[in-house]
Amino acid sequence: MRIETQAIVLALRPHGEHGAVVRVMTPDHGLQAAYVRGARGRRLRPVLLPGNQVEICLSARTESQLAQATVELVHSRGPLFQEPLPAAALDWASSLTASALPESQPYPRLYQALDGLIGAIEAAPSASGWGAALVRYELLLLAELGFGLDLAKCAVSGANDELVAVSPRSGRAVSAVEAEPYAGKLLKLPRFILEGGTASWPEILEGLQLTGHFLMRDLITDRSASVGEARSRVVERLRRAAGQA
């Protein structure tokens, strides 16, 4: 097996004295894990930061063997780690992707969405400029793994207009009329999720509450505590940013 491709660095686990097992997201080969010699050394440590774009060459004698890899930096997102909120967002998006996806399964839409999300975090002057992209990425990941929400029409009436809420049990949309008797029991459905475009701070936080419910229920229940903690950090910092806006 030999793969040469661009990739996004997701996670690094120390292995041996100086090396590490690195997880990366690739456009055509999905999540890949490989041993990188000297990964914790002075030269490669800044190359293997989560979110970095790299050129990676993976090779293994058999498909079941852990690949060996060489890595070259294409674009560094290191400066983002100097700011608490972008750093928390990168940590969350990377750890979620690394822990949720099965290895070697192609998810080209997720790769493009993750690359777009990280690019938005890098380019936007404020988190309000990328908060909606984070919500959309979480929704796409849920969908790609078979836990997508059904937001096309109301679960009760079948109508496809005035959809304002989502059932926390079924993940199906509910219209304003049908949602009224269940106020406080349903999850809010922000308009930007259905219509696209930008989102206000309240809508971003509502979107994160919506996706967070299904992520924690369906994907992160048996994962390490650090994954859930990473999301808690980014949500809390977004709430603070919203309060200061």
Side-chain angles (χ1 to χ4, degrees):
M1 185 272 287
R2 183 178 177 85
I3 298 172
E4 294 185 28
T5 181
Q6 285 206 2
I8 299 171
V9 178
L10 300 179
L12 181 148
R13 187 180 77 246
H15 186 83
E17 188 173 354
H18 301 292
V21 175
V22 178
R23 277 183 158 73
V24 299
M25 184 66 174
T26 70
D28 301 317
H29 304 279
L31 180 68
Q32 294 287 329
Y35 175 76
V36 177
R37 189 182 303 275
R40 290 180 287 155
R42 182 177 299 179
R43 185 182 73 84
L44 286 179
R45 191 163 57 242
V47 173
L48 295 172
L49 291 174
N52 277 2
Q53 193 85 28
V54 298
E55 187 75 27
I56 190 167
C57 178
L58 305 104
S59 59
R61 293 182 179 180
T62 66
E63 291 186 1
S64 60
Q65 182 184 40
L66 178 66
Q68 305 278 320
T70 58
V71 185
E72 295 293 337
L73 181 66
V74 174
H75 180 65
S76 174
R77 268 65 183 248
L80 294 177
F81 286 94
Q82 298 174 13
E83 298 292 334
L85 185 46
L90 271 181
D91 182 39
W92 161 241
S94 300
S95 60
L96 170 65
T97 307
S99 64
L101 296 185
E103 290 186 11
S104 302
Q105 298 296 316
Y107 292 98
R109 292 178 64 204
L110 273 178
Y111 176 86
Q112 293 171 6
L114 179 60
D115 189 45
L117 169 60
I118 295 173
I121 295 172
E122 189 174 30
S126 164
S128 61
W130 54 259
L134 178 58
V135 174
R136 293 190 184 103
Y137 181 72
E138 292 180 349
L139 282 170
L140 178 61
L141 188 140
L142 282 164
E144 291 284 293
L145 293 177
F147 300 102
L149 308 188
D150 183 356
L151 307 179
K153 60 184 179 180
C154 176
V156 180
S157 67
N160 59 5
D161 58 345
E162 294 190 45
L163 302 175
V164 300
V166 176
S167 165
R169 294 185 62 185
S170 68
R172 300 180 66 187
V174 183
S175 68
V177 172
E178 301 296 344
E180 189 172 351
Y182 303 98
K185 296 182 180 180
L186 301 176
L187 298 164
K188 292 183 179 180
L189 176 58
R191 180 174 296 181
F192 78 91
I193 290 178
L194 297 176
E195 300 179 0
T198 59
S200 66
W201 272 118
E203 288 176 323
I204 291 169
L205 295 177
E206 288 170 359
L208 289 170
Q209 184 178 14
L210 173 66
T211 54
H213 171 80
F214 294 101
L215 285 168
M216 300 306 291
R217 188 190 75 177
D218 297 326
L219 289 182
I220 308 178
T221 50
D222 296 326
R223 307 292 179 179
S224 63
S226 62
V227 179
E229 290 169 0
R231 190 174 198 277
S232 297
R233 282 193 296 271
V234 70
V235 171
E236 180 57 33
R237 287 173 181 174
L238 282 166
R239 285 200 182 105
R240 291 178 190 171
Q244 296 169 0

